[in-house]
Amino acid sequence: MTHKEFGDRGEYLAKLFLESKGFVFIRANYRTKHGEIDLIMQENDEIVFVEVKTRTFHSAEAFGRSLYRINREKQQHIIRSSRIFIYEEPLLCNGLYPRYDTVELYMASENDNKIKVIHTPCAFGL
């Protein structure tokens, strides 16, 4: 499995996880000149921009939680991209408050089904 396939699998599993919690899927892999937003979901009166990080347990042991790899620069790219999305989709976003979550997925190996999910609502903000 390539690195991209591993990341794509993580994003798909994160989408399923959030949907199981009642989130409504809007879009995946939204790209702007500032970067990409992995998932855009809705929960109640919030539009949720989600950064997904997928790692093996071994990688997490060696380098720490993925959440800490979303530095201020990456956060700013996501926030700028989210503003463009809100501007481009005024009817969809009307009355919704933006929120920035992370979903971390940890797997025993790239091909294993043993998965740990950590969802952090409001991981960063404006």
Side-chain angles (χ1 to χ4, degrees), residues 29-117:
N29 306 113
Y30 176 74
R31 289 182 174 84
T32 71
K33 66 181 180 178
H34 300 291
E36 179 183 45
I37 300 173
D38 295 328
L39 295 173
I40 302 173
M41 310 286 286
Q42 182 178 345
E43 183 184 40
N44 302 319
D45 63 347
E46 296 178 308
I47 185 158
V48 184
F49 301 96
V50 183
E51 176 68 10
V52 179
K53 293 292 187 187
T54 309
R55 286 185 151 174
T56 63
F57 288 119
H58 174 72
S59 175
E61 289 173 7
F63 302 107
R65 283 186 59 189
S66 300
L67 175 67
Y68 304 126
R69 297 187 54 87
I70 306 170
N71 61 25
R72 188 72 183 145
E73 182 180 1
K74 175 70 172 175
Q75 293 172 20
Q76 289 302 311
H77 288 296
I78 294 168
I79 290 167
R80 285 184 188 111
S81 295
S82 73
R83 288 178 176 161
I84 292 170
F85 181 81
I86 290 167
Y87 177 79
E88 289 179 347
E89 298 288 349
L91 295 177
L92 178 66
C93 299
N94 187 35
L96 299 178
Y97 300 97
R99 190 175 92 199
Y100 303 92
D101 291 10
T102 61
V103 174
E104 301 167 77
L105 291 104
Y106 299 97
M107 301 180 204
S109 70
E110 294 178 353
N111 298 312
D112 193 4
N113 289 326
K114 181 181 176 190
I115 300 168
K116 178 179 180 179
V117 179

Side-chain angles (χ1 to χ4, degrees), residues 1-13 54 107 110-111:
M1 179 180 297
T2 68
H3 182 71
K4 178 167 178 4
E5 291 170 334
F6 187 60
D8 289 347
R9 180 174 181 231
E11 289 176 11
Y12 174 73
L13 293 171
T54 309
M107 301 180 204
E110 294 178 353
N111 298 312

